[in-house]
Amino acid sequence: MTPTAASSPGSHPGSPAGPSVGPSVSPFAGTSRLNAARRTFELEALADDPHIDLLVIGGGVTGAGAALDAASRGLRTVLVEARDLAFGTSRWSSKLVHGGLRYLASGRVKVARESAVERGVLMTRTAPHLVRALPQLVPLIPDLLRPGQASLIRAGFHAGDALRLGAGTPGALLPRVRRVDAARTRRLVPGVRTAGLRGALVAHDGQLVDDARLVVALARTAAQYGASVLTRVRAESVTGTSARLVDTLTGQTLTVTAGAVINATGVWAGEVDTSIKLRPSRGAHLLVDAATLGHPTAALTVPVPGSTSRFVFALPQQLGRVAIGLTDEDAPGPIPDEPQPTEAELTFLLDTVNAALATELTRQDVCGAYAGLRPLIDTGGGNTADISREHAVLESPSGVVTVVGGKLTTYRRMAEDAVDAAVRLRGLPARTCWTARLPLVGAPGHRDSRPAPASPVPASLLARHGGAAHEVLAAGELAPVADDLDVTRAEIAYAVTHEGALDTADVLDRRTRIGLVKADAERARKAVEEIVAEAASEIAPQ
Ligand SMILES: Cc1cc2nc3c(=O)[nH]c(=O)nc-3n(C[C@H](O)[C@H](O)[C@H](O)COP(=O)(O)OP(=O)(O)OC[C@H]3O[C@@H](n4cnc5c(N)ncnc54)[C@H](O)[C@@H]3O)c2cc1C
């Protein structure tokens, strides 16, 4: 449990540490590069010296956040992920950085405040390059709204504004709620129904360019602070101080001992620690081409008939798509690798959104669909929609510290609470958490970030990479990987050399989201395979 010199408590918090695992001097020390060569090096280093301060299991937003929290506090940290970064729920979200309004509506003031604060942290300090302000528009069409519902929504939006103010997030970043006329409504969402349209209420929330990109940025920043980030490594036989690690690429195993073990495996938490009881809830989205709604720049928010607090959202996304979601359905039974939306969910989403559209969408318009499982804590009966989105940190009889529940927006707070618990329970040699002011890879203020290059760079590349765009440009060509797909060949190569992608699926399904639309994936596959193979040959183990 000896901190390396570079990561010892007392060194300047802003100094990325060298690798914390193993005695060898690493060629990757202080860099955020994740790739196959680093993975091999760090697995070997771990085999040489398998005693660490903290093992984090699960490479979703929570585990990656916990690894960054721990490594930046000076702990020798290893993160293991059985498949790939963001393989689980963290890639199936609505990609919203919530201000907590919906929690306020159900009286959960603490969760609402926490969400608003964490949204502000992401948008102002840690990842402003990945989060933009998204206008959310509720069309004022009388037959869509129950009597009094417009007033309720307006009051809710004002309460959301109060949360924003309370969190210290400037109005310049998230403009205040306002009412717009019908013409402005149509400019924001050209596909909106015009019959009876009296304008709209517009509020703002945060939207990630992509959820999986946040996870990768967290994992890379953690690696820069000395964490070993090991994908395709499954943790088995987990106790409070040890685990057997299986390299799923080679079948080799290794037992590590740790000062503490954090279980951040989301809906799989009960498989790692059988004392954890979850009640997963499935949420589905479908995807349509943005052209079918006239390329909206705001999210269309449609009340669910019969409910005062549920809405279906049509959310503009990168790659010229609109995601329409979402559902909240009990999902008992074994946890699938990739949950699938049901026919009933797709019908519900289409029917609800169609009520607010000038031209109805049909099943032929649906170019993709996805579903994810919320890792909700089992609190007994009731609807899954009513279960608190609060997170919990639990120490099980085996000594494993499990962090579960919560949401993407509050990952940083979840990570801080989990590491605090591990430090307190096991007396780990850590300094205090400072992740609220730690810029992630690509954020302004991150030491490797540069201003946007002078040469013309696609806006989509800047939105995905921020201040790291200069590194992406150095990795390859700016030509698109396929016609009409605004992902460049350079980004594919960079995914392999810097973002820990180990194969074509990692690139198509998680570093980029090309794979969400199967037809797009097929058009890009051959070129992606070639670039992945070429980039992989350049980073053969050193
Ligand atoms: C449909 C939907 C929409 C949502 N929308 C939003 C939103 O807009 N905004 C928001 O803030 N939140 C949203 N959420 C909530 C949010 O997505 C989740 O709370 C969050 O992503 C959970 O992340 P996690 O890291 O805890 O779990 P996961 O992302 O599931 O990560 C767990 C990881 O653990 C790995 N793992 C499992 N077992 C092992 C093992 N034995 N060894 C090693 N690794 C293992 C898995 O492969 C997986 O990658 C949404 C959720 C859903 C389902």
Side-chain angles (χ1 to χ4, degrees), residues 57-63 80-98 103 211 233-236 264-268 271-272 281-285 326-327 370-375 403-410 414:
I57 307 172
V61 74
T62 311
V80 291
E81 162 54 51
R83 293 92 156 189
D84 182 27
L85 295 170
F87 183 89
T89 305
S90 298
R91 67 176 153 143
W92 305 126
S93 81
S94 304
K95 299 152 201 3
L96 292 174
V97 175
H98 288 295
Y103 311 114
D211 42 15
V233 173
R234 176 181 302 280
E236 296 180 352
T265 53
V267 276
W268 291 277
E271 291 178 7
V272 171
S281 134
R282 190 178 55 251
H285 291 83
L326 84 165
T327 57
Y370 64 87
L373 297 179
R374 298 175 187 87
V403 52
V404 76
K407 54 201 169 299
L408 207 83
T409 308
T410 51
M414 294 172 71

Side-chain angles (χ1 to χ4, degrees), residues 32-34 216-224 441 471 494 498-499:
S32 63
R33 242 180 311 146
L34 289 179
V216 172
L218 284 165
R220 290 185 58 194
T221 314
Q224 190 155 30
V441 165
E471 289 179 351
Y494 186 76
H498 287 69
E499 296 184 332

Side-chain angles (χ1 to χ4, degrees), residues 18-249:
S20 56
V21 174
S24 357
V25 175
S26 167
F28 304 100
T31 78
S32 63
R33 242 180 311 146
L34 289 179
N35 56 40
R38 183 175 192 158
R39 177 183 179 279
T40 303
F41 180 90
E42 293 189 342
L43 272 171
E44 284 169 4
L46 190 56
D48 286 347
D49 181 5
H51 185 69
I52 56 175
D53 286 336
L54 185 69
L55 175 68
V56 180
I57 307 172
V61 74
T62 311
L68 173 58
D69 187 294
S72 63
R73 295 194 201 193
L75 293 177
R76 298 180 63 192
T77 305
V78 172
L79 168 70
V80 291
E81 162 54 51
R83 293 92 156 189
D84 182 27
L85 295 170
F87 183 89
T89 305
S90 298
R91 67 176 153 143
W92 305 126
S93 81
S94 304
K95 299 152 201 3
L96 292 174
V97 175
H98 288 295
L101 179 53
R102 57 168 293 204
Y103 311 114
L104 207 57
S106 52
R108 291 170 179 134
V109 180
K110 180 171 165 272
V111 197
R113 276 213 199 101
E114 193 172 271
S115 259
V117 168
E118 293 303 326
R119 176 183 65 181
V121 168
L122 275 160
M123 293 189 78
T124 58
R125 276 165 278 165
T126 55
H129 62 306
L130 296 178
V131 189
R132 67 166 187 135
L134 174 73
Q136 290 188 322
L137 176 155
V138 182
L140 297 170
I141 301 173
D143 58 280
L144 280 189
L145 298 161
R146 289 147 67 104
Q149 199 175 5
S151 306
L152 266 179
I153 293 170
R154 190 199 313 266
F157 278 176
H158 281 293
D161 222 34
L163 278 174
R164 171 192 64 75
L165 267 174
T169 310
L173 203 59
L174 285 172
R176 302 190 55 181
V177 54
R178 67 184 197 280
R179 183 178 171 157
V180 297
D181 63 16
R184 176 88 183 125
T185 304
R186 283 198 304 272
R187 278 200 297 279
L188 288 167
V189 182
V192 71
R193 196 178 108 189
T194 47
L197 181 66
R198 295 180 183 170
L201 295 173
V202 180
H204 284 75
D205 217 335
Q207 184 189 35
L208 282 157
V209 63
D210 185 41
D211 42 15
R213 292 213 65 74
L214 174 64
V215 179
V216 172
L218 284 165
R220 290 185 58 194
T221 314
Q224 190 155 30
Y225 279 86
S228 284
V229 175
L230 304 171
T231 59
R232 309 294 202 279
V233 173
R234 176 181 302 280
E236 296 180 352
S237 310
V238 180
T239 74
T241 52
S242 70
R244 192 156 60 101
L245 305 184
V246 183
D247 178 345
T248 64
L249 296 180

